[in-house]
Amino acid sequence: MLSERTTESIVGLFLIAAIVALIILAFKVSGLTSFFKPEGYEVTATFDEIGQLKVRAPIKMGGVTIGEVTGIHLDPTSFRAVVTMRLDKKVNDIPSDSSASILTAGLLGDNYIAITPMYNTDFLKQGSDIQETHPAIILEKLIGQFMFKISNPGTNNETTKEGVKK
């Protein structure tokens, strides 16, 4: 039979191992660690409007998550948002002429980037730039435009063939 001291030591080691496992799990779930950085390659895309897109937002293709947003900054010359994305290394055959759109999960959900593959035989690689982008649709702007239209029914912004407003 084990002595009392040996039993206490085994229980103590088990407790320490459990605490370390919980700490690693907490860091892994929260994304606050770079210990478990997934392998892949980074590409960028420039958008006119990113809405509420955040770092760590998912990148999806066909509804399947293939990466995440790793950085967002403003280009000082064009004043457009530059989004850096890390794509999984398993998905290395995305055509270079693919487009990126910022979509919303549900009516009021979080934003994510959807990549739509095209037909080029060259593929995205580390440092590539996605040229064709579609900005986020801002629900507040749409509601504001709708409210303006219904409050001003007499205004008609259509133009004739000659370019004169009706």
Side-chain angles (χ1 to χ4, degrees):
M1 188 176 241
L2 295 175
S3 70
E4 186 176 331
R5 184 172 176 90
T6 306
T7 305
E8 288 178 356
S9 297
I10 291 173
V11 170
L13 288 174
F14 179 75
L15 186 62
I16 290 173
I19 291 172
V20 168
L22 286 174
I23 290 172
I24 290 173
L25 179 66
F27 277 111
K28 180 75 172 161
V29 169
S30 68
L32 295 176
T33 182
S34 60
F35 298 134
F36 307 107
K37 197 174 240 181
E39 293 185 28
Y41 57 100
E42 288 191 348
V43 298
T44 58
T46 305
F47 294 92
D48 291 328
E49 175 70 54
I50 62 167
Q52 296 296 316
L53 186 72
K54 295 176 179 62
V55 173
R56 298 194 64 236
I59 311 296
K60 296 183 178 187
M61 184 184 307
V64 177
T65 301
I66 61 166
E68 70 178 17
V69 173
T70 57
I72 300 172
H73 70 275
L74 187 67
D75 183 0
T77 56
S78 68
F79 299 108
R80 297 176 70 202
V82 178
V83 177
T84 306
M85 302 169 268
R86 176 174 295 283
L87 302 177
D88 294 339
K89 73 173 186 173
K90 298 174 192 170
V91 188
N92 58 4
D93 55 353
I94 301 173
S96 61
D97 61 345
S98 297
S99 66
S101 306
I102 299 177
L103 302 177
T104 304
L107 184 60
L108 298 173
D110 289 334
N111 288 354
Y112 67 94
I113 296 181
I115 295 180
T116 305
M118 294 300 180
Y119 307 104
N120 201 343
T121 56
D122 294 332
F123 301 122
L124 292 174
K125 56 184 183 288
Q126 176 68 29
S128 294
D129 188 36
I130 298 176
Q131 299 295 319
E132 180 73 28
T133 60
H134 305 283
I137 296 174
I138 310 300
L139 187 61
E140 292 85 3
K141 284 184 182 179
L142 290 177
I143 293 171
Q145 290 172 353
F146 176 72
M147 296 302 289
F148 179 76
K149 291 279 187 190
I150 62 171
S151 66
N152 298 320
T155 26
N156 191 351
N157 292 330
E158 294 179 20
T159 56
T160 61
K161 290 182 194 176
E162 296 80 27
V164 179
K165 285 189 178 183
K166 290 184 180 178

